[in-house]
DNA sequence: GGGTTAAGTCAATACCTTTGACTAAGAGAT
DNA sequence: ATCTCTTAGTCAAAGGTATTGACTTAACCC
């Protein structure tokens, strides 16, 4: 009689053998992070979500950290699914790459914050990385600097998107509180911050996404400018 | 006979009344984070560091999260200690502000990673924020766009520095592992990533700090360019 | 059908944050 | 000098966490 306790709790049968796979676990992790947030991403809850024991995941990932790496990988895979470089429109290619990262991060903010520091240039999605280099070459950037600008674009996409996700994760209430910080600071020293006060009306209307887009435009404008200078033979001195 | 157990452990006398202050606790937190890293920043260890009970900190901070906010504040205070805007050298002022954030974050990477997502434009150090706006005004940026560029600079400094800190925190071993990811990817699909491969030699020599500086230069070049256009009366269309 | 292997489970360890009750340090009043 | 009172520091405990080692048993191979 191995029948478990006759309490109200459904005893949950043992899962069949291949029920859990790395893919399924990563998918469940992402769903848990999206729906319940960063704090809910624990092994017990993940196990429950999967209908398994809380330690079952350890049969597929050596540690939670390992799982996080896999989630990070999934995020980038999702970002660059069916990505193709836009031929000779180098600027379009770069904008596309950066916005793909941003869009993915903002739609999975908790997962992005978790994996953000674990993703560095070159962990996966080499195809996109290669496209960035190709685009810069198309633009006419000469060779030793090209690597530097590549890093600028790659770091911009990853770091700035990660920061955006971090902001997105904070409770609405906290975001509100930080907004009011401005008001109180003005109140205590009204004329000390005249410059800031003069633009406070404009500041309120700015969305973080718009800031991202503007920064990208500024970076690309400068890169285009330097490419033009390089083509006409002038050096940067 | 209130003498405690005669074991080898020194019994640690009760601390006198004003021994703990928020300032001292924040200082100890920062030291702990700097010396032992993110994982060591726990209430028990912090208490031990202070020579106090593991729960003593709760008399001064409602939660660990509150303490993190205070650490974040300390970081920015440190960054902008004796900061003065550089008069009409607007570009110098902006570079100074951004590099102060970067330098502080990189010298306290664990603290920066912890507090990074909690710092948004305007939480403290309004003086620096005001100086950024002033610098942009000196540069000649007209008014509705000025707010946008202000956000670009502020977000750049905070988000990018935070990202740098995140990278800094990873073990050397992990950093090494990520570097080798490149090599293996080349091995599996050698010619698919020709662009990348062509610059791999240059890439190895690039430091993250250099990427930060370059990105800042690119942003400022574009801002200067747009300011010049605005002064000569052309519009951006 | 029997044996093997590894996927899923269980129990236990060593942490962690946070709370509530307790105690005594030191300030202020008399 | 003593008495009282507030509250900073302490203690014990609850409830959560990651991770490990021993166990069971499902499913594959022969």
């Amino acid at each position: 009689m191995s029948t478990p306790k006759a309490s109200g709790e459904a005893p949950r049968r043992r899962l069949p053998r291949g029920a859990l796979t790395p893919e399924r676990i990563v998918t469940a992790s992402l769903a848990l992070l999206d729906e319940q947030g960063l704090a809910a991403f624990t092994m017990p809850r993940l196990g429950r979500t999967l209908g398994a024991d809380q330690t079952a995941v350890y049969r597929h990932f050596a540690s939670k950290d390992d799982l996080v790496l896999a989630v990070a990988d999934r995020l980038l895979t999702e970002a660059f699914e069916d990505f193709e470089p836009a031929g000779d429109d180098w600027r379009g290619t770069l904008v596309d790459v950066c916005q793909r990262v941003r869009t993915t991060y903002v739609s999975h903010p908790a997962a992005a914050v978790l994996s953000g520091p674990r993703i560095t240039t070159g962990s996966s999605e080499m195809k996109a990385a290669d496209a960035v280099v190709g685009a810069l070459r198309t633009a006419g950037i000469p060779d030793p600097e090209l690597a530097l600008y590549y890093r600028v674009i790659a770091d911009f996409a990853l770091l700035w998107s990660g920061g955006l996700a971090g902001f997105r994760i904070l409770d609405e209430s906290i975001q509100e509180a930080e907004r009011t910080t401005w008001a109180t600071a003005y109140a205590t020293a009204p004329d000390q911050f005249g410059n800031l006060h003069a633009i406070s009306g404009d500041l309120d209307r700015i969305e973080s996404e718009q800031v991202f887009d503007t920064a990208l435009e500024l970076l690309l404008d400068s890169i285009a400018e330097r490419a033009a200078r390089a083509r006409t033979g002038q050096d940067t001195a």
Side-chain angles (χ1 to χ4, degrees), chain A:
Chain A
M1 300 315 156
S2 66
T3 317
K5 47 201 145 183
S7 79
E9 290 294 315
R12 192 175 63 68
R13 314 179 66 78
R14 188 192 189 93
L15 279 182
R17 207 138 216 263
L20 267 40
T21 63
E23 284 71 33
R24 258 182 280 232
I25 292 171
V26 169
T27 301
S29 300
L30 202 47
L32 186 58
L33 283 162
D34 287 347
E35 288 155 26
Q36 315 255 40
L38 201 50
F41 181 53
T42 71
M43 295 308 232
R45 296 199 210 193
L46 180 56
R48 231 177 294 144
T49 294
L50 289 159
D53 184 79
Q54 60 172 251
T55 66
V57 171
Y58 285 96
R59 294 287 157 210
H60 301 270
F61 294 94
S63 68
K64 193 179 178 183
D65 200 61
D66 256 36
L67 175 54
V68 167
L69 285 174
V71 170
D73 216 68
R74 168 72 63 89
L75 233 44
L76 284 192
T77 304
E78 182 182 318
F80 292 108
E81 205 174 15
D82 57 63
F83 162 78
E84 284 299 330
D88 48 339
D89 176 14
W90 65 270
R91 199 159 167 145
T93 299
L94 296 181
V95 170
D96 185 30
V97 167
C98 292
Q99 288 194 340
R100 275 167 181 269
V101 176
R102 185 195 72 177
T103 303
T104 303
Y105 273 38
V106 168
S107 20
H108 305 289
V113 166
L114 206 61
S115 46
R118 308 308 307 279
I119 296 175
T120 58
T121 314
S123 41
S124 90
E125 299 324 82
M126 310 281 289
K127 186 174 167 187
D130 200 73
V132 169
V133 177
L136 290 171
R137 197 172 293 291
T138 304
I141 300 286
D143 224 356
E145 302 154 64
L146 198 150
L148 188 53
Y149 297 146
Y150 162 75
R151 280 288 308 268
V152 168
I153 297 295
D155 286 15
F156 167 77
L158 293 171
L159 300 186
W160 207 300
S161 299
L164 237 61
F167 186 64
R168 205 42 91 82
I169 245 184
L170 299 175
D171 290 339
E172 283 297 327
S173 58
I174 296 181
Q175 291 191 29
E176 196 53 47
E178 305 223 333
R179 245 173 253 141
T180 55
T181 308
W182 292 83
T184 54
Y186 289 144
T188 48
D191 18 293
Q192 196 180 342
F193 306 121
N195 288 320
L196 218 36
H197 185 258
I199 63 159
S200 61
D202 296 330
L203 270 177
D204 289 344
R205 274 177 234 111
I206 297 177
E207 300 288 336
S208 296
E209 269 86 356
Q210 190 189 354
V211 180
F212 180 96
D213 290 335
T214 303
L216 180 54
E217 290 299 317
L218 293 172
L219 289 174
L220 294 182
D221 282 354
S222 280
I223 288 175
E225 179 64 29
R226 295 193 182 191
R229 262 190 309 217
R231 276 197 303 271
T232 56
Q234 304 175 19
D235 39 11
T236 40

